[in-house]
Amino acid sequence: MITFFNGIGACSIGIHVLLEEAGADFENRIIDLANREQFSPDYRAANPKGKVPAILREDGSLVTEFPAIALWIGHTYPEARMLPADFEGQLRVIEIMDYMVSSIHMRGFTFIFAPMKFHPDDPSAQEALRAHGRDQVKIGLDNLSETLGDKDWLLGDFTVAEGALFYMTRWCHQHGIEMPDNIRDHHQRMIARPAVQRALRADGLATPEKSGLAA
Ligand SMILES: N[C@@H](CCC(=O)N[C@@H](CS)C(=O)NCC(=O)O)C(=O)O
């Protein structure tokens, strides 16, 4: 069985959703980020990067980084049809996931949620960084909105990239960050899916406040 290293409320909910969509057999191992378990010797031995998500595969090897894990899930569970068969289709899935993780998450949400990491002693610099993060999230969501258009899913068919958008729309929902209408609709379509509901329930996120899903 694979071990999924997950953090409650973290970006790893996107991978949790994909594992459920894939019908994977996995252990949901919660790393207590609030109490800094990611820095514990045990977790550092398993994942020296000290981040979630991560997946320990049955052969004992570890996969980290959201786009890589998502690609592995799409490839390993082909019956779930979450990865296009052709190279061009896969290229577009990686392209959009990397944009979400590297630009919108790392250069946007990180600054909104944790400006104190960058300016520990300067509240006004923290506020400026938070505002910059909000601008970056808005630009990112507007670009995704353009890509999504009036389709149900980002690239047409449902792909592993939906998991990356979902972790961000859940953050927007929980923290009252405005979303373009079609991105909000994408979130609603996601929480209507049984696999997404299973992941949210398992992580204690199935509440109107945390995800828009009734407990
Ligand atoms: N580049 C990583 C980012 C993962 C990441 O930043 N995870 C956060 C949770 S959303 C984390 O583990 N934070 C704990 C920490 O930084 O101490 C990926 O794509 O998976």
Side-chain angles (χ1 to χ4, degrees):
M1 196 197 300
I2 62 178
T3 303
F4 164 47
F5 296 108
N6 182 17
I8 300 299
C11 54
S12 48
I13 184 65
I15 294 298
H16 196 170
V17 159
L18 297 179
L19 288 169
E20 288 289 350
E21 291 281 352
D25 189 15
F26 64 98
E27 178 197 351
N28 183 18
R29 177 91 58 87
I30 304 297
I31 302 302
D32 184 354
L33 300 180
N35 286 311
R36 301 173 63 81
E37 192 187 347
Q38 68 273 34
F39 302 115
S40 68
D42 277 0
Y43 189 56
R44 291 307 269 261
N47 177 10
K49 289 180 178 171
K51 303 271 183 193
V52 294
I55 292 232
L56 187 62
R57 297 182 292 184
E58 279 170 342
D59 68 359
S61 64
L62 189 78
V63 185
T64 62
E65 305 301 321
F66 194 107
I69 299 168
L71 180 68
W72 178 78
I73 294 171
H75 177 82
T76 305
Y77 302 92
E79 59 290 347
R81 306 174 76 83
M82 294 192 288
L83 194 64
D86 62 305
F87 177 74
E88 182 64 21
Q90 293 176 9
L91 177 76
R92 296 302 172 195
V93 168
I94 291 294
E95 180 184 45
I96 200 160
M97 278 196 296
D98 190 57
Y99 179 61
M100 288 189 269
V101 175
S102 303
S103 297
I104 309 179
H105 175 175
M106 295 299 158
R107 310 295 298 172
F109 284 106
T110 298
F111 296 151
I112 299 176
F113 295 152
M116 59 296 278
K117 274 191 185 171
F118 305 92
H119 298 291
D121 304 315
D122 187 344
S124 68
Q126 288 173 19
E127 195 37 56
L129 190 55
R130 205 175 271 121
H132 173 75
R134 279 193 216 101
D135 288 347
Q136 295 308 303
V137 167
K138 182 175 176 356
I139 291 167
L141 292 181
D142 285 348
N143 281 332
L144 293 177
S145 172
E146 186 84 21
T147 300
L148 178 60
D150 60 8
K151 305 188 297 302
D152 280 357
W153 308 115
L154 283 166
L155 301 170
D157 292 334
F158 186 98
T159 72
V160 290
E162 262 61 59
L165 179 53
F166 179 68
Y167 81 71
M168 289 188 272
T169 60
R170 199 199 68 76
W171 281 342
C172 289
H173 176 87
Q174 182 168 359
H175 297 277
I177 297 167
E178 213 179 314
M179 295 182 255
D181 288 349
N182 61 345
I183 298 291
R184 194 167 345 94
D185 292 347
H186 182 280
H187 181 78
Q188 293 304 324
R189 272 192 287 281
M190 287 297 283
I191 63 169
R193 294 173 76 87
V196 176
Q197 296 179 4
R198 284 197 297 278
L200 289 170
R201 292 210 165 95
D203 287 357
L205 298 173
T207 70
E209 300 75 26
K210 290 179 178 163
S211 62
L213 184 67

